[in-house]
Amino acid sequence: METSGPTGAGARQRSSVGRVHPTDHADLRARVGKALAAFLTDQRALLRGIDPALADVADAIDDFVLGGGKRLRPAFAYWGYRAAGGVDDDAVVAAVAALELVQASALMHDDLIDGSDTRRGEPAVHRRFATRHAGSGWQGGADAFGAAAAVLLGDLCLVWSDQLLHTSGLDGTAIARARPVFDLMRTEVTIGQYLDVHTQVTGDTSLRRASTVARYKSAKYTVERPLLLGAAIAGAPAAISAGLSDYGLPLGEAFQLRDDVLGVFGDPATTGKPAGDDLREGKRTYLVAAAFDAADRTRADALRAGLGDPDLSGDEVTRLRDIIVDTGALARTERRIDDLTTTALAALDALPIDPGAAAVLRDLASAATRRTF
């Protein structure tokens, strides 16, 4: 276990021009993956000891958690810890790995709510279990079984996130400092998800509501709270935590706006989801709200008619994309991403933290907003 400080081995991995070396993040991803694999191996043994039918549950969670993901949230948490003066520790890596189980829970539930067929190019959990039901000739409805399984597996991942945090090897004092941040983060992402659903059913297309949803469903949960979780583990002073928040919140919003753009214009080979999926799901994102804000009546009516139609054809998706581009909404969203990222980096530059940790956080900002992981 490495015990050097922020200017030790971690700093030596970075290049002479102060940029994070690609192996820095790859190494942390591998360590997070190792911590998750060890934890899930123990949980598999527990499930198998209860009933053989739970092998399907263990398999699905293993595939979902270990089979993909950028490990972005653990990276922000780990480097928030290092920025606050923490030294590298395997227990810290295991603790921040708990964020991946929160993420798994959120995505399983999100895919069910949105009726998404795929996640990372593979069947979404509710589709996986519906297929298992249909292929086994079981009684009842396959879709209902799939939905129930996704709810329960998502809940199980959320329970396990708590367990991994508490069994990570952190001392009790560090866990007590981390606990309020961890709890608030999970509350925020849950109410953000509710606001997202509420926005769709009420048809609210305001920029204010779109920004609120982006902030609570993703921005805080992806960047700000992980940073503050790491800082809390390290026992950061209030000024450092406040500065990390000033960096993390606008960056998290920029991350979500990039996600919104990819949800409409992204390449399915990269996103792992069908082209224009956010349009079929009726997402009232900042991108869509900006289009409504600038559209004339004809374009607004066309956008409103198509948004949320699960049977949109490829040509219809293209027409809605054209409206978004023609109204200037795409350009407006890209400018906002740039502005938010600039604000975040200015806050980072003002933080009195180790230059090595600052360099990594700067590179993480680029990766989060450009999706270069």
Side-chain angles (χ1 to χ4, degrees):
M1 180 171 64
E2 179 187 325
T3 57
S4 60
T7 57
R12 289 196 296 273
Q13 289 179 336
R14 286 179 286 277
S15 70
S16 60
V17 294
R19 304 295 286 174
V20 61
H21 192 280
T23 57
D24 271 6
H25 186 65
D27 177 62
L28 182 59
R29 286 180 68 175
R31 293 173 67 192
V32 168
K34 182 178 179 181
L36 288 167
F39 177 81
L40 291 176
T41 294
D42 290 342
Q43 302 314 305
R44 175 182 288 275
L46 172 67
L47 296 181
R48 288 182 63 183
I50 295 172
D51 194 289
L54 295 175
D56 284 347
V57 172
D59 289 344
I61 293 178
D62 276 5
D63 289 347
F64 197 95
V65 174
L66 302 179
K70 297 175 285 294
R71 313 303 189 210
L72 190 59
R73 291 160 186 83
F76 277 116
Y78 176 82
W79 286 105
Y81 167 81
R82 293 293 294 268
V87 297
D88 187 41
D89 189 330
D90 286 341
V92 173
V93 174
V96 301
L99 293 168
E100 286 297 295
L101 293 171
V102 180
Q103 170 73 342
S105 173
L107 293 180
M108 289 176 187
H109 288 165
D110 196 48
D111 287 342
L112 174 62
I113 291 167
D114 292 339
S116 298
D117 291 328
T118 59
R119 169 67 60 179
R120 300 168 185 155
E122 298 294 330
V125 168
H126 62 285
R127 298 297 186 211
R128 174 176 177 145
F129 279 86
T131 299
R132 178 79 168 93
H133 179 288
S136 301
W138 292 339
Q139 299 178 31
D143 288 345
F145 174 74
V151 169
L152 294 170
L153 266 66
D155 289 350
L156 185 58
C157 285
L158 197 60
V159 171
W160 283 354
S161 72
D162 243 5
Q163 185 176 346
L164 180 52
L165 177 64
H166 283 283
T167 60
S168 61
L170 290 180
D171 64 51
T173 302
I175 290 175
R177 289 194 301 261
R179 180 87 255 171
V181 181
F182 195 67
D183 289 345
L184 181 57
M185 177 196 68
R186 294 184 300 165
T187 295
E188 287 172 340
V189 71
T190 303
I191 63 173
Q193 179 67 73
Y194 175 80
L195 287 175
D196 188 27
V197 173
H198 183 269
T199 299
Q200 291 183 61
V201 300
T202 59
D204 190 335
T205 58
S206 69
L207 288 164
R208 181 198 61 79
R209 172 52 73 88
S211 295
T212 299
V213 171
R215 175 171 291 197
Y216 284 93
K217 183 182 176 183
S218 184
K220 285 178 169 288
Y221 157 64
T222 299
V223 184
E224 185 195 23
R225 295 304 178 197
L227 283 166
L228 295 180
L229 178 70
I233 292 171
I240 295 297
S241 294
L244 288 172
S245 183
D246 289 342
Y247 157 77
L249 185 55
L251 181 61
E253 290 192 48
F255 169 89
Q256 181 56 45
L257 294 183
R258 175 60 61 210
D259 198 59
D260 295 343
V261 171
L262 290 174
V264 174
F265 295 97
D267 180 356
T270 302
T271 64
K273 303 193 78 170
D277 225 27
D278 278 8
L279 298 174
R280 294 187 180 91
E281 292 168 7
K283 294 289 187 183
R284 263 63 177 181
T285 62
Y286 181 93
L287 177 68
V288 169
F292 275 112
D293 188 56
D296 58 26
R297 183 169 183 175
T298 299
R299 285 173 172 159
D301 287 345
L303 188 57
R304 190 172 291 107
L307 198 63
D309 181 354
D311 298 320
L312 280 179
S313 67
D315 287 344
E316 289 167 330
V317 166
T318 298
R319 281 195 289 273
L320 294 184
R321 284 173 167 169
D322 288 345
I323 291 172
I324 291 171
V325 172
D326 292 343
T327 58
L330 177 59
R332 182 176 182 177
T333 302
E334 291 289 353
R335 286 195 302 271
R336 182 157 175 78
I337 291 171
D338 290 342
D339 290 346
L340 287 165
T341 304
T342 297
T343 298
L345 293 177
L348 178 63
D349 289 342
L351 269 172
I353 59 175
D354 172 70
V360 177
L361 289 173
R362 178 171 285 275
D363 281 4
L364 283 172
S366 177
T369 54
R370 297 180 188 175
R371 300 302 172 90
T372 56
F373 273 74

